[in-house]
Each structure stands twice: as C-alpha cells, then as structure tokens.
Amino acid sequence: MERRCAEESTDIGGEEEEVEVEEALWNKETIPRVMKIVCTCIKLHQRDLISLLLVSPWLHRTLISHPSIWLVIDLHEMNNAGDRLVAALSLPRYHNVKNINLEFARDIEDKNFEILKSKFVDALKNLESLNLNGCQKISDKGVEVITSICPNLAAFSIYWNVRVTDIGVKHLVRNCKRITDLNLSGCKNITEQSLHLIADNYRDLESLNLTRCIKLTDGGLQQILLNCYSLQSLNLYALSSFTDEAYKKISLLSHLRFLDLCGAQNLTDDGLRSIANCRKLVSLNLTWCIHVTDVGVKAIAESCSSLELLSLFGIVGVTDRCLEALCKCCSGTLTTLDVNGCVGIKKRARDELLQLFPKLKCFKVHS
C-alpha cells in the first residue's frame, strides 16, 4: 500500500512538473507572439484586448504592463455606456487614455461626467479625442463638466445633439485650447455666437463640420473664414442661408482639401470662381447647387488639378462643356464623379464617363 501511494505521489508530481514545463514553454513562445500582434495590429478591437486578459495570468500581467495598448476606450453603440466608462477609468491601465469613443452609446448622461470629475479628475488629462456623436442626453452642463477635465483635447465631436447651445460651445473654448478638429453637425441650436467664439479661439482649426446648423448666417461664417486660415476640411452640408458674399471668402483657405456645399442654393458661378483659388481641393460636393453652370465648374477644373471627388448631382445648368474642361485638367485624378440628375449633360453613361475619366471608380455620391 505504501509503495502504491509512493508511486501515485511520484506520478502526480511528475504530471505537475510536466504541466509547469508546458506552461513555461507556452509563456516563452506564445506570449511574445501575442504581444507582437497586439503591438503591431492597427485595428485590434478593445473587446479582443480584454478577452486576451482572461487567457492566462502571465499574459494578463504582460498586457497590463504595456500602457501604449490601453490608449483607447471604445464604447460606441453599447448599452450602459455611462457606467462602463466610469468602471473603465477606475482601472489604472486607462489613466493615460487618449481616445474615447461614445458614438451612439446608450445611457450616457451628464451625471456620468460629473462622477468622472469627482472621482478621476486626472484620468483624462491626456485625452486628445472625444466622440459624443448621437449622445442626445448630453447637455451644455455635460459639455462643461467633461471639457473641464480634458485640457489637451484636440478633437471634439458632438453630432446630432439639439440640447447643446452656444453656452456649451462657450465652455468648450474656455476649457480646451487645443482643438483642431470640431464636429457640430446637427447641433441646430447653435448660433452666430458660437462661430465667433470658434473663430476667436481656434485659429489653428483644421477641420470644421457645421452640417444642418440652420441658425447660422453670413456673419459668423465669414469670421471663421477670416480667422481659421489653417482649415483643411469644411463641411457646410444642407445650409441654404449663406450667400455668395460668404462663399467668396472660402478662397482665403489656401490649405483647404475637403469642401461640402451640398444644398448651397445661393452659390453662383462668381462664388465658385473664388473658391477655385483653393488649389489644393481634393473633394468638392456641389450637389443641388442649383445656380452653378459650366462657367463655375470650368474655373474649378482649371485651378484644382488634384481633384479626386466631385459631385454635380442635380445641377441642371451644367452641360458636356464642363466635362470637357474637367477631362482636360482632372482626368488623371478624378476617381468619383456624380453627374446624376444633370439633364444638360448627355454623356452620363458609365462607359462614356470612363472614356473621359479612366480612373473613375464611383459614379454616385448621393442616392
């Protein structure tokens, strides 16, 4: 009996030793491979990282010891996002987070930001990008609270929020001095005051989206164009109140690459000729710019030789002559051209367009 017990004890000890050897070998070979993937893979999702924490204690410790892989908190479209955000920031590994994505996250409210400020006031000191798109429960108060603890914020997006007003923008410019990318698309309650605040405080602004901000007029836009001369992207989609006097000042933006003027019903060829001075334009949306003719498009073609995307959708005043001008100057760069609804253009068939613009890949911007 004693002999048998001794043999069994030896077997168990041998098995344990064998398991330890296998684990050591796994740690030596597999963990470095995993870390190589984690540190070089651009799009490894946060959920995958968290799953890896559960694989083994050794991998858990190794992952935690690399702060560079915990720079993003992505809770977009998640339920209980407010509580999840608070829970995440309670973990030391997220205390150097640079990017928080709450786009269309549910259950994110002002009170969640108030909790963050009361408990983790230093956790967001390095935050550079905050996406609050579709977070419709966030008000001016929430903007005030969250921006007060994000002094290094460079990109702020709060698309489709009708609760935010000029007061929220006032808090933003007061608390965050380094904004270069600002998305206020669908914030229908901001007015001229917000544009003046932006123009006075963000002279290094590179990207601005004012889509459907319907209370804006020429005065505020002109102030932006006069002060924010570093703009590379300007989105004025679905804003019909501006006039040529404002559009002409877009010519001041010598670095502009992306311009969306969809629905600019007051834009004329005179305004478009001025915009043609933005010679670095790569993308130009003129959908439903009903007063534009061949004259304006020709000016764009002759000056903007790097154009890759152009939409003329729904413009009845353009003809094949504008295509000839575009072919002469932009045939080697255009990859997207939308002339649907341009009844004056007869060469609208795909094959005909490809003969003029051999690099075309997309024939429809709007549907």
Side-chain angles (χ1 to χ4, degrees), residues 187-207:
C187 295
K188 296 183 179 181
N189 285 317
I190 68 167
T191 71
E192 297 295 283
Q193 183 182 354
S194 286
L195 294 194
H196 284 281
L197 287 167
I198 293 167
D200 291 341
N201 290 276
Y202 294 145
R203 292 174 181 261
D204 293 326
L205 196 65
E206 296 177 0
S207 178

Side-chain angles (χ1 to χ4, degrees), residues 168-183:
V169 175
K170 185 176 181 179
H171 293 314
L172 175 67
V173 301
R174 183 184 63 199
N175 294 327
C176 304
K177 304 297 184 182
R178 302 182 179 182
I179 296 291
T180 58
D181 186 337
L182 181 58
N183 183 357

Side-chain angles (χ1 to χ4, degrees), residues 14-58:
E15 290 176 0
E16 290 178 347
E17 185 176 345
E18 186 177 342
V19 168
E20 289 178 0
V21 171
E22 289 179 356
E23 288 183 348
L25 185 62
W26 189 89
N27 294 334
K28 182 179 179 180
E29 295 182 354
T30 306
I31 288 182
R33 293 176 184 174
V34 172
M35 292 306 300
K36 184 177 180 180
I37 293 172
V38 168
C39 294
T40 59
C41 181
I42 298 175
K43 284 293 184 180
L44 190 63
H45 198 277
Q46 182 183 352
R47 297 173 189 173
D48 297 324
L49 279 175
I50 294 172
S51 296
L52 286 173
L53 291 175
L54 306 176
V55 171
S56 77
W58 292 271

Side-chain angles (χ1 to χ4, degrees), residues 320 323-324 339 344-350 352-353 356:
D320 289 320
L323 291 189
E324 294 169 5
V339 292
I345 294 178
K346 305 308 177 184
K347 298 178 181 179
R348 282 182 288 156
R350 180 175 298 222
E352 292 175 313
L353 290 174
L356 297 172

Side-chain angles (χ1 to χ4, degrees), residues 23 30 51 66 81 86 104 133 146 166 208 211 217 269 272 279 361:
E23 288 183 348
T30 306
S51 296
H66 285 70
V86 172
F104 293 105
N133 289 346
I146 194 63
D166 296 328
L208 178 62
T211 294
T217 60
D269 289 332
L272 201 52
R279 298 179 182 273
K361 297 179 180 179

Side-chain angles (χ1 to χ4, degrees), residues 102-119:
L102 297 170
E103 186 170 52
F104 293 105
R106 289 170 282 279
D107 309 310
I108 185 81
E109 303 178 29
D110 292 347
K111 65 181 181 181
N112 300 122
F113 293 158
E114 291 170 352
I115 293 172
L116 290 181
K117 185 172 182 178
S118 66
K119 292 186 176 182

Side-chain angles (χ1 to χ4, degrees), residues 68-110:
S68 62
I69 63 178
W70 302 104
L71 300 178
V72 176
I73 297 178
D74 187 354
L75 300 174
H76 78 281
E77 297 182 355
M78 285 193 182
N79 293 319
N80 302 316
D83 293 337
R84 289 174 184 264
L85 179 62
V86 172
L89 289 172
S90 70
L91 302 172
R93 66 174 178 263
Y94 285 118
H95 284 188
N96 289 307
V97 65
K98 292 184 179 295
N99 185 322
I100 293 179
N101 184 3
L102 297 170
E103 186 170 52
F104 293 105
R106 289 170 282 279
D107 309 310
I108 185 81
E109 303 178 29
D110 292 347

